[in-house]
Every structure is written in structure tokens, then in C-alpha cells.
Amino acid sequence: MSWITNFLTSSIGRKLLMSLTGLFLILFLIVHLAGNFQLLKSDGGQAFNEYTLFMTTSPLIKVISYGNYIFILLHAVLGITIWLKNRKTKGKTSAVASKSADVTWASKNMALLGILIFAFLMLHMGDFWLKMKMNQTNMIDYGTGPIKDLYENVYNSYSQWWIVIAYLVGLTALSYHLWHGFASAFQTLGLNHRKYTPVIQFVGKAFAILVPLGFAIIPLYFKLFIVD
Amino acid sequence: MKLTLKVWRQKNNKAAGQFETYNVEANEHMSFLEMMDVLNEQLIDDKKEPVSFEHDCREGICGTCNMVINGQAHGPQKGTTTCQLHMRHFKEGDTITVEPWRATAFPVIKDLVVDRSSFDRIIQAGGYISVNTGQAVDGNAIPIEKDVALKAFDAATCIGCGACVSACPNGSAMLFTSAKVSHLGLLPQGEVEHSRRVINMVAQMDKEGFGMCSNVGACSAECPKEISLENIARMNREYFKAVLTSDVK
Ligand code: HEM
Ligand code: SF4
Ligand code: FES
């Protein structure tokens, strides 16, 4: 094996890939949330539809979005293989569960949380991305020619309680995943410092609460105030 | 104090192993190992096989008295080895579960004794400093910044017991290996072989079949020497640096 494959298949190398893909997904979440907030404008969806038109036609965004698909798959596949390998290397666990403090539940259940997030993503992509690709979207004209009315798809999805609840479950899993994952990614990169680590941990926890909460507000707002 | 012990008994590496229950009369001034000695005397009197466990210094520095006590490596007292754990931390009538280290890279030899030679091989892969023998150099001849010396010293307190591996839900040896990499690499004497050391020790650690670190922190929480997670971050960044910038393949 060359030094590159040695590096990337080593325990630390694999964790480097987990960390970098995870941090990329965190950046993606920020952009995604900022875009989604346009759904809250009371303009019948014009701002959101114009924004999605840009997002689906800009070549730069296209490249980034394919990168995003690859990274999430890489992150998920690698995460699951790491988890399976670790279960084997651990073997028998002790009969009594350890009561040691300072260990979060999330940190021990990253793979379970990841699988939940993945299941949620399948639902989410099937509901919006697939319907859009299959042309199951009506057109709307704001005076600049007909564009896809994705706002209507969002409206239809979020009028169903089960979808709203599935979103809340998926976002709770994301919140726990980030509760551990955000700061963990920096530790994996080797960035641990007495001055900065407490700041990273604080920002990580704030991010883990605020970002999933931001996403959750949208389906709740639709169901409670727009649809009904 | 009257205690009920549930002790892991396993004839050898091939046997399945199971818990046996014993009643022991101990007093609060005994160390946990002295309490185990009482149990063994009792077993010998009853013409039964005593429980095998490792011990040597009984003063918290050799790293052999390894037991998982009520699910925690070295028991409930933070920063304490089993030999330094006193029975006053338990109560009359308690049931105490005693197991060997749990990790496939530490196979059970007998009862509570596990084979930790995987750690020895990690050390052999680079956990040393090559110096020509001869007169010892004066300790103060090389000036070292106080903060750096303290970090190196903190890392050097690792006694190689393996509690970190047993405590880790992934069976990872990152805390141990990073303590050794840090303790040697932080000092000028050890810096010379630093790149080779970190690459080789990590490679050996992976070869021995230890798990991958998820930054859970159970290792540091149960380490009798409270080795910090800072060492793992240091090893990671030194590993990246060594792989990406040194000539070592
Ligand atoms: C938007 C979605 C996601 C984000 C933002 C995210 C972010 C992260 C971050 C930052 C880490 C920490 C990396 C480290 O410790 O170095 C992490 C770890 C992990 N992720 Fe994700 N993740 C996401 C989705 C997923 C999915 C879909 C899966 C699996 C199906 C997954 C599985 C894992 C696993 C198993 C770990 C722990 C790896 C380890 O420490 O051993 N994640 N994630
Ligand atoms: S790091 Fe702590 S728990 Fe691990 S071997 Fe060293 S002293 Fe034992
Ligand atoms: S017997 Fe040496 S550390 Fe406990």
C-alpha cells in the first residue's frame, strides 16, 4: 500500500475523513437553513421559489450539491464501518454499565443517531428532491416566465402531521449528533487547546440546539399557522 | 463489613467464563486487593481455586492491578488504581461485580488476568528514545519551558494499565498511545525520533486490533492517572504532520 492509502485507512486517517466530511455538512446546514427561512415570508412563496430557481440552475451550486451528496454518503458509509469495526474490537462489554460522569449519551450513540438522520434524509429527499426531479411540481409565473412552484410542494408536505412529526424526530437526532459531533470534529483534527476548546464546546452546543430548532420552526409554523 | 462479590471466573483463554458469587467479611481500612486476598484465603481454606488477579507494587505505580469494579475500570474512585481503592468507599451489604478488562485486544488469560502484551508491542514500535549509553547527562543541561515540562510529565504518569481501553466503548488505545507519544515528543530528547515514533506507534496500535476513537472521553474519566484528552488531539495533529511532511513512509 502507498503511504496515502495507509494514511486514509489508518484509525486516525479514517477519523480525519469523518471529521472533514462532518464539518462540511455543518457548513451545508447553515446555508440550507438560511435559504429555508425564506419560507417564513408571507409572500405566497415568491422569495423561496426564486431562491430555489437560483439554487437549481447555478452551475457552482450544482458542483457544491454533488460534493454534498458524495460527502454525506462517504460520512455515512465510513461512520457505519467504523462503528461495526469498533463493536468487534470491543467484544464483550462489562456486565454493569459504567456510571462515570463526563460521558454523554450522544457520544456513545453516534451511529444510531446517524442512521436515524439517514432515514430522515431519505424521506426528505424523496419528498422534495425526487418530486422535483420527476417533474411532479406545478409551475408558477411571477411575471418573469414560469418557474417551479416548490413552495406548493412544501405546503402540501407540511400539511400532513406525520411528516411534521417525522421531521421533528429527524431533527432531534441531528441535534444530539451535533451535541457531540461539532466539538468532536475539532478534537479529531487535533485542535484542542486550553484557551479555545471551551469556546468550541460552547459554540457546538449552541449550534446543536439552535440550528435543528431553526429547521423545526418551519414545518411547525406551516402546520399551525399557514395550513390550518 | 459483609459484602457479596460477583467475580468473573474463567479457566483459560478458550473457556467461556461466568460469574461466581462469594460472601466476604472485610473491613473499611482494607484496600480492594486486601479484600480480594481475604476472599482467596477463604477459597483456599475451602479447598477451592483462588481467584487469579495481577498485582505488584500495591502503591499505584505499576499498572497491573486491573479489574472492572461495578462497571468502572479500577472502581468508583476517580484517579485511583484498584490497589489504592479502599473499602471505605463501599457500604455494608453491597454487592460488588468484579470483571477483567473488556477488550478483544486484551484476551483473558485466567479469571481477572488479561494479556496486555499488545501494549508492549506498541511501546516497542517507538515508545523509546535511542541514546548512546555512557554517563547520564545532567538533567538541567537542556533548558525546557516549565509549561512544556509539566505537560510531558503529566503524560509520563501513564502507568500502562489499560483501563482506558477497557473503559472505552470502542476498545480504543488512543489515550495510552497518545500519552506515550506526548511524553516523549514534547521533550527535546524525544523530538529527534518524533515523526517515526508517531507513525510507527499508530500503525502498531491499529495492527493490534484496538478500536477507533470517537472522542467519548470514558478513557480519561476512568484513567487512574487522569491522563487528558489533550494528548489524543496532540497525537492526531502530530500524526498528520508526520505523515504529510516527513520522509517516513
Ligand atoms: C447533516 C448530517 C450530518 C452531520 C452535520 C454530521 C456531522 C458529524 C460530525 C461533525 C461528526 C464528528 C466527527 C468526528 O468526531 O471527528 C460526526 C460523526 C459521526 N457521524 Fe455524522 N453527521 C451527519 C450525518 C450522519 C449520517 C447520515 C450518519 C450515518 C448513517 C452519520 C454517522 C456518524 C458516525 C457513526 C459518527 C461517529 C464517528 C466516530 O467518531 O467514530 N452521520 N458526524
Ligand atoms: S492512559 Fe491512563 S488508563 Fe490508559 S494505560 Fe495510561 S494510566 Fe492506564
Ligand atoms: S498494584 Fe501496582 S498499580 Fe496497583
Side-chain angles (χ1 to χ4, degrees), chain A residues 174-187:
Chain A
L174 178 65
S175 177
Y176 276 103
H177 200 74
L178 292 170
W179 187 261
H180 175 67
F182 190 104
S184 175
F186 289 88
Q187 166 80 3

Side-chain angles (χ1 to χ4, degrees), chain B residues 33 54-65 81-84 159:
Chain B
L33 295 188
E54 263 190 285
H55 59 99
D56 186 10
C57 70
R58 297 208 176 199
E59 57 183 12
I61 54 169
C62 74
T64 59
C65 53
T81 54
T82 303
C83 58
Q84 296 290 294
I159 54 178

Side-chain angles (χ1 to χ4, degrees), chain A residues 11 86 89-90 98 180 184 190, chain B residues 104 166 206 212 214 222 237:
Chain A
S11 56
N86 281 347
T89 58
K90 179 65 187 175
S98 172
H180 175 67
S184 175
Chain B
T104 42
S166 184
D206 290 351
M212 284 170 257
S214 297
E222 296 191 19
R237 62 177 182 264

